[in-house]
Amino acid sequence: MKVTVIGAGNMGSAFVRQLVGAGHQVSVAARDAAKAAQVAAAHPGAVAVPAAGAAQGADVVVVATGYADAVAALRTADVQAGQTVIDITNPLTADYMGLTLGHSTSAAEEIAKAVPQAALVKGFNTVFAAVLAEGADFGSGRKVSVFVASDSAPAKQHATQLATSMGFEVVDAGGLKNARYLEPLAGLNIYLGYGAGLGTAIAPTWLHKG
């Protein structure tokens, strides 16, 4: 698939690494063009593209920015009608120990309202950058789970195919409103990693009997 990653931080770089490794055609864009170029150079096969219009021609767009920057980044990228957008953001407080949204809405739903042409999927928000960069197995003996929630069946299928191609186990988390559960799950994971001192080599998963 043709995938555009918006964001050149730890998560963006980890996505580029895994997507290139899975054989996808990967473009990376960022507000800081020099950082996008550095990420692309570090992962042969990826190309840096301008932030303006970065979504054009992509099968999937991954928004790997902070929540506060996501809407502006997607608007700048010129997301097309029906284009699959994977939102990995979490609406964190300044100290990362809480969420600024919850119960009646979610970051994903607010982004979907602001960029209504996008076929939005919540996904990968429960995966630390260190885990994503290491890969789906990351030495744990079992695959890391990626939870996906969307109101668009085709977009969810795109996200599922992408995650599966990178080796992750996918859990269908239902409609986009269930991002209201996935974002607090990520918040718990962040607390355990940083607040409880477990580190970032952890990830929530879902067990199936039999």
Side-chain angles (χ1 to χ4, degrees):
M1 278 190 274
K2 294 180 180 179
V3 185
T4 293
V5 177
I6 302 175
N10 291 337
M11 283 296 288
S13 180
F15 261 107
V16 171
R17 176 180 178 178
Q18 293 302 326
L19 289 167
V20 168
H24 297 285
Q25 186 176 330
V26 184
S27 299
V28 57
R31 185 168 48 191
D32 185 337
K35 287 188 67 176
Q38 288 175 354
V39 170
H43 302 91
V47 296
V49 297
Q56 294 178 15
D59 298 307
V60 176
V61 175
V62 178
V63 57
T65 68
Y67 168 59
D69 299 320
V71 170
L74 290 172
R75 287 174 174 167
T76 298
D78 192 21
V79 171
Q80 305 297 295
Q83 193 168 36
T84 299
V85 173
I86 300 176
D87 161 39
I88 74 167
T89 72
N90 292 300
L92 299 171
T93 56
D95 63 0
Y96 298 100
M97 291 294 104
L99 302 179
T100 61
L101 294 172
H103 298 297
S104 61
T105 189
S106 63
E109 290 169 282
E110 294 304 303
I111 293 170
K113 290 176 188 176
V115 192
Q117 71 272 30
L120 205 77
V121 182
K122 192 76 190 186
F124 289 93
N125 70 302
T126 60
V127 181
F128 278 124
V131 173
L132 181 60
E134 185 71 19
D137 294 320
F138 88 110
S140 69
R142 61 168 297 137
K143 292 184 177 181
V144 174
S145 294
V146 168
F147 301 89
V148 294
S150 180
D151 294 333
S152 167
K156 186 184 287 185
Q157 184 61 28
H158 271 149
T160 297
Q161 290 172 348
L162 207 65
T164 301
S165 75
M166 293 187 286
F168 293 93
E169 178 182 86
V170 176
V171 178
D172 187 335
L176 194 63
K177 70 178 182 180
N178 287 341
R180 300 174 193 180
Y181 306 130
L182 296 183
E183 290 168 11
L185 177 59
L188 175 61
N189 195 44
I190 291 166
Y191 166 75
L192 292 173
Y194 292 101
L198 297 184
T200 57
I202 59 173
T205 190
W206 217 250
L207 299 178
H208 302 267
K209 184 177 179 180

